[in-house]
Amino acid sequence: MEGHTNKAWENHADNVIKVIRSYVPNAEIYLVPADPRGMKYLIEKDVALINVSLGGNGKAPMYDVLAEKAFICCGAGNSAENGESWLSIQDYSCAVGAVDKHLNPTYYSSFGADKIQTVAVEPYIDGKLLRGTSFTSPTVIGLLAQWYIWFKDN
């Protein structure tokens, strides 16, 4: 993608992990490619929760198989329009928009009729504000992971 270096994408992934770890420090986190090989790996690992950061509107039917095994949460998108990504409008996924610290919709967060099921406040990690639904989605996954762990242990 033009304007993005490998280092930028590595920083993006590192920040997503930091957001999740801020809620569940000992979580097992797997970074996998969004392809059949990555999906197969997640199924073999028997994951319960999946956070997805995908750009664009391309179809990704490989997630259909994962939906039978895990809960999928994804960012609603950052185009500030009523038009979610393909994954975010699937019945088996939870699309996450973004709000600011005053709970107002951010200038960039996509939205759409009934499908944006939740929003999250933009997180601060290492004293830095992280903007984008790629970071509000792992906030929701982190909270869900706390809930999942509590119910699993009790």
Side-chain angles (χ1 to χ4, degrees):
M1 188 167 161
E2 188 176 325
H4 290 84
T5 64
N6 286 339
K7 187 65 176 163
W9 286 112
E10 288 173 18
N11 289 339
H12 182 274
D14 288 345
N15 285 327
V16 168
I17 290 169
K18 286 177 183 178
V19 171
I20 295 169
R21 288 212 187 281
S22 72
Y23 292 93
V24 281
N26 298 320
E28 289 182 41
I29 297 175
Y30 305 102
L31 293 174
V32 299
D35 63 20
R37 186 174 47 103
M39 303 305 107
K40 182 178 180 207
Y41 183 80
L42 293 176
I43 290 169
E44 289 170 358
K45 289 293 185 181
D46 197 29
V47 297
L49 301 168
I50 298 172
N51 179 74
V52 179
S53 292
L54 277 181
N57 258 347
K59 288 187 176 183
M62 63 196 120
Y63 287 99
D64 295 348
V65 174
L66 278 179
E68 296 173 13
K69 306 277 185 188
F71 181 81
I72 300 173
C73 193
C74 64
N78 298 321
S79 60
E81 61 186 30
N82 186 3
E84 307 89 350
S85 68
W86 180 85
L87 183 58
S88 73
I89 61 171
Q90 300 308 305
D91 289 337
Y92 55 73
S93 69
C94 174
V96 181
V99 294
D100 64 21
K101 65 183 178 182
H102 303 292
L103 304 181
N104 297 314
T106 60
Y107 67 89
Y108 59 81
S109 183
S110 293
F111 56 91
D114 299 321
K115 194 50 190 152
I116 306 304
Q117 298 167 332
T118 189
V119 293
V121 175
E122 300 169 307
Y124 281 85
I125 297 294
D126 299 332
K128 181 175 116 183
L129 175 65
L130 299 177
R131 289 217 157 109
T133 59
S134 288
F135 304 115
T136 57
S137 179
T139 298
V140 172
I141 279 291
L143 291 168
L144 288 171
Q146 287 180 336
W147 175 84
Y148 178 81
I149 291 165
W150 187 86
F151 275 99
K152 188 175 158 192
D153 293 343
N154 290 304

